[in-house]
Structure formats: C-alpha cells, structure tokens
Amino acid sequence: MKRRNLLLGGLGLGIGGTWLARPSIEGDGKHSAYFQQLNSLLHRENLARPTMIVDLDRLDHNIAEVRRHIPNDKTYRVVAKSLPAQGLIDYAMAKADTSRLMVFHQPFLNHFVESKPDSDLLVGKPMPIGAAARFYQHYQANAFDVGQQLQWLIDTPQRLKQYAQLAEAQQLPMRINIEVDIGLHRGGVKDPAVLAGMLKQIDAHPYLTFSGLMGYDPHVSKAPAILGMQEREGAMAQHRYHEFMEVWRRHNGGDGRSNALTLNAAGSPTFHRWYDNDTANDLSAGSALLKPLDFDIPTLANHQPALFIGTPILKVSDGIEMPIAPLIGQAQTGWNPNRRKTLFVYGGYWKAEPVSPPGLLTNPTYGRSTNQEMLNSNAQLQLGVDDYVFYRPTQSEFVMLQFGDIIAVRGGQIEAVWPVLPQGA
C-alpha cells in the first residue's frame, strides 16, 4: 500500500472513530409527568420568576429514611444551614420528632433563640469571638434558657480562653462543646492531651460547663469503596472519637456515664454508620432530607431528590448564534445534537444543574450568566417562551437563600410558602 493511501486511510479511520464518539440525543424534548405537573403549577400560580420548590411527599420519605437509621438510644439533630427557612425547619423537626438543631450562622442563632424557645441548639462551627459577642448584644431574655439550651463549639485552648473572658464579661453561664478531629483534618482538637487540658480549664471557670464533643466525618464517604478502604476510614473515625471519650472518662474519675453529654457525630453522608456505635449519642443530618445533586451517593440511594428550581424560558431560537466567533456556535450545533436549539432563561448560574427537560446543557463558550443564562437543547424541544425549565441544586444551604420565599408542594398544589431565614442581626 502506498504511504499516501495509508495516511488517508488512517485519517479516515480517525474521523470515523471520532464521529462514532459524538454525543447521542438525550431525552425527547419534553418534561416527564412529574415536571410537567410542576410546570403547570407554576403557570397556574403565575409566579413568573425563578422559584425554589420543595416536594413535601419526597421530604416526608427522606425524613422517614433518616429516622430509620437513628436508633432509639440516640437523638437526631436537624442541620439548620441545609434547610434555611423557618417553616421548613419547623416541618422537618415536627415530622422527625426532635427539638434539636445545629446552627452555623450567628443571625440564625439569634433568630432561633426567639422563634424556637423550646429547642436545644448546638453551634456547628467555632464562631469568632466577635460573633459570639454580637449574639449576646442582640439576645433578649425569653423562655429560651441561654445557659442551658445553647452549646458553643470550641476547637482550641486559645478560643476557649476568649469565650471564658466573654462569659465573665456577660456574667452568663456557657455550655462548651469541644470539636475533635476524627479524620477530616479541617480543625478541632487533634491531641487527646490537649483535650485533657481544656477540660481542666473548663472545670476551673465559674461560668463554663463541659457539655460534650463534636466529631465530623464526611471524608469517610469520599474514600474509595474498593478493598474496604471506606470501611477502614469509618472505623478509624469512630476509634478516634472513642479515644477522646476515654480522655473525658479519665478526667471524670473513671465514671463512664455520658447520658448528660451531647456526643455529636456524623452528617448526611455518614449518619447511618453510627447506628451501632456506643460512643456518639447525637447524630446530625440536613441535606439528606432534600438530597441535592452533590448527595447522589451510595449511602443515600434510598433518598429522593426533593429540591428543585423552576425558572421561565425567556427566548428560544434554532442553533447557536455565537458573538464574535459564529463558526464556533455552528460547530457546536453540528457536533452535538443536544445543542440544536438555544434557550435563555430568567436568572441562572446557580450552584445547580438543569435536569428537565432531559439533555439541557449550559454553554461554556458563551459563558454563564446570573441574569439570562444560555441553555442548549436538542431539536425535539417541546417547550416555548414562558414555559419553565427545572434545575436541581448541587447543595441546599446558601442556594436556597437566593430566591425569596420557598414554595412547598404536594400533589401539584402549593401547600405552604416559607420565607427564608434572615441574614442580618
């Protein structure tokens, strides 16, 4: 064979191989029955703006799944940052039959002291001393007993000293929960000897009381499942927690009773791993109740996505008209059958991915926009201007705070409208 023919044949094989790797058409250009019901609901209510939606039936299912994995000898603590609306938190706490909240933001802390005076609040991260001082500046005495129902999280002897000085200045008792590092290495006490010294500091102070430990282990779910690595990481995290508990028992004169302590552990990816553990007695989960996209993980396989963004379509056109370099848009349209149409939607660039109709794509060349985001679809698109497309948030947390009131839906009807938590104070 001539060298020229060999080269042409190789080129042909290369082009053919590349052509075979082209994307295939995803979806039929229309909503499933589930999303069509949501589309009809938003049309009927004429919301006509980006809207955060919580599916109550799916939320109920997820709450039941969490409760199923928390035994009767352990308590369940709702993570407020993952459900940042008072109505949503009230609903979840009532369904889960718990009065315990984990709070990560000082304005939220002040809010819950007023709105949920019967709750048990654990701060979920070590707050700057300025944030703690600000909490007390805005705190107004009510039925909530700030000295008994609130636990501050402390991670170092230095921060403990700051809080001790604040307690003296306020002349108010403080319950101190100590963060311990059980493998995440994001912070917290690493050395059991340091914990022993902190326990002595607390005992020596007239306004401080030791209330328990907090160990967080989301890294366990990130470990590869092969060769038992995930199981080993989980066992190591629980062993580390047990080591810190032994420090407290020795400090307490060998008394192993811990029912008066809050021994908090876990999170949405790992709460089920602490079911049979005899150390932690207080398990936290928040995102597991809504299952945003980042929580599509094996440990939450039985949970259902319950959180969506619906936003109106503003414009629809054929192909992709790319400014400055129109050939790039033409090439994208020719190569990928899921880029045969262009949509611009109301808002965008959220921590979220489009999910309905299937096959919607953002355009990395055109760029993202928080005002009018470009999406591309296949030629079978059966939606038009003023119809809604749906995104699935990758997280709940801050994303849920960007849309104003959240609508809670059941069976194609709005059952409740929940304002999000205030950011000030």
Side-chain angles (χ1 to χ4, degrees):
M1 182 182 292
K2 292 182 179 180
R3 183 171 182 271
R4 179 174 177 273
N5 291 341
L6 180 64
L7 288 172
L8 289 173
L11 180 60
L13 286 172
I15 293 173
T18 302
W19 190 261
L20 290 173
R22 290 180 70 211
S24 58
I25 294 176
E26 295 185 32
D28 57 5
K30 63 182 180 181
H31 291 311
S32 65
Y34 178 81
F35 286 107
Q36 184 53 47
Q37 185 181 62
L38 291 179
N39 185 43
S40 298
L41 169 65
L42 296 178
H43 270 297
R44 189 170 62 250
E45 296 295 329
N46 195 31
L47 294 179
R49 58 172 171 78
T51 302
M52 184 65 72
I53 302 163
V54 171
D55 183 313
L56 292 176
D57 288 324
R58 294 184 175 198
L59 174 60
D60 289 349
H61 169 86
N62 295 339
I63 292 171
E65 280 294 309
V66 170
R67 290 301 319 181
R68 188 166 67 86
H69 287 91
I70 297 180
N72 292 332
D73 62 341
K74 301 182 191 296
T75 54
Y76 169 49
R77 188 173 298 273
V78 174
V79 178
K81 69 180 175 64
S82 303
L83 312 169
Q86 181 71 61
L88 176 55
I89 288 171
D90 289 344
Y91 184 95
M93 293 178 73
K95 283 282 183 179
D97 191 24
T98 181
S99 62
R100 297 178 178 235
L101 271 176
M102 181 177 281
V103 187
F104 289 77
H105 192 34
Q106 174 262 313
F108 294 176
L109 191 60
N110 282 94
H111 176 83
F112 289 127
V113 164
E114 294 181 12
S115 67
K116 300 197 72 64
D118 59 344
S119 62
D120 178 288
L121 302 182
L122 171 61
V123 177
K125 63 187 174 191
M127 291 281 187
I129 190 62
R134 187 173 180 82
F135 165 80
Y136 285 107
Q137 288 169 8
H138 288 270
Y139 165 68
Q140 295 182 354
N142 62 1
F144 185 93
D145 187 339
V146 73
Q148 294 296 320
Q149 294 170 248
L150 172 62
Q151 301 177 60
W152 294 99
L153 192 68
I154 301 296
D155 57 337
T156 65
Q158 293 76 20
R159 199 182 305 274
L160 179 59
K161 183 178 179 180
Q162 290 179 323
Y163 274 69
Q165 292 170 345
L166 180 61
E168 289 178 12
Q170 299 288 334
Q171 294 189 0
L172 286 172
M174 284 188 183
R175 298 177 72 206
I176 301 298
N177 194 293
I178 299 180
E179 180 184 22
V180 292
D181 182 4
I182 59 174
L184 181 59
H185 305 322
R186 187 174 66 183
V189 176
K190 297 180 183 293
D191 185 349
V194 173
L195 175 61
M198 293 173 72
L199 293 174
K200 291 178 181 177
Q201 283 182 262
I202 293 170
D203 281 355
H205 197 280
Y207 289 108
L208 302 185
T209 302
F210 175 64
S211 65
L213 302 173
M214 193 274 276
Y216 187 40
D217 63 341
H219 63 286
V220 172
S221 66
K222 304 292 185 182
I226 60 172
L227 302 177
M229 292 179 64
Q230 197 170 102
E231 293 302 320
R232 285 199 299 274
E233 283 293 329
M236 288 172 60
Q238 294 184 11
H239 176 71
R240 284 285 290 163
Y241 204 120
H242 183 76
E243 286 184 328
F244 287 114
M245 271 301 300
E246 287 301 310
V247 171
W248 173 78
R249 289 192 177 103
R250 289 194 296 271
H251 175 82
N252 208 40
D255 186 348
R257 290 174 295 177
S258 58
N259 58 330
L261 298 180
T262 298
L263 302 174
N264 180 262
S268 288
T270 59
F271 65 88
H272 67 290
R273 291 183 174 274
W274 295 81
Y275 186 92
D276 294 323
N277 182 274
D278 62 356
T279 301
N281 60 16
D282 185 69
L283 304 183
S284 300
S287 295
L289 304 187
L290 297 174
K291 199 181 182 182
L293 196 58
D294 284 352
F295 292 82
D296 278 357
I297 55 178
T299 55
L300 297 178
N302 291 331
H303 291 237
Q304 300 174 357
L307 187 67
F308 300 99
I309 301 164
T311 194
I313 299 171
L314 301 177
K315 307 163 188 176
V316 180
S317 59
D318 293 328
I320 301 174
E321 293 187 88
M322 194 70 68
I324 304 172
L327 290 178
I328 294 178
Q330 295 169 19
Q332 289 180 341
T333 299
W335 171 252
N336 190 338
N338 298 298
R339 295 194 188 276
R340 297 288 162 80
K341 283 184 175 288
T342 291
L343 302 75
F344 286 93
V345 301
Y346 191 148
Y349 211 176
W350 304 292
K351 290 182 72 68
E353 297 294 335
V355 293
S356 188
L360 290 180
L361 301 171
T362 58
N363 194 298
T365 307
Y366 193 89
R368 308 294 301 272
S369 172
T370 58
N371 177 41
Q372 298 181 61
E373 178 142 63
M374 175 195 276
L375 296 175
N376 299 135
S377 78
N378 60 50
Q380 296 173 281
L381 181 71
Q382 298 182 38
L383 303 182
V385 170
D386 294 339
D387 279 322
Y388 290 79
V389 298
F390 295 92
Y391 288 71
R392 189 172 164 207
T394 56
Q395 301 175 2
S396 53
E397 301 185 11
F398 182 70
V399 182
M400 295 183 71
L401 295 170
Q402 299 178 60
F403 297 84
D405 292 350
I406 296 165
I407 64 169
V409 305
R410 192 190 306 275
Q413 302 291 330
I414 295 178
E415 188 167 298
V417 177
W418 292 326
V420 296
L421 292 174
Q423 292 287 299

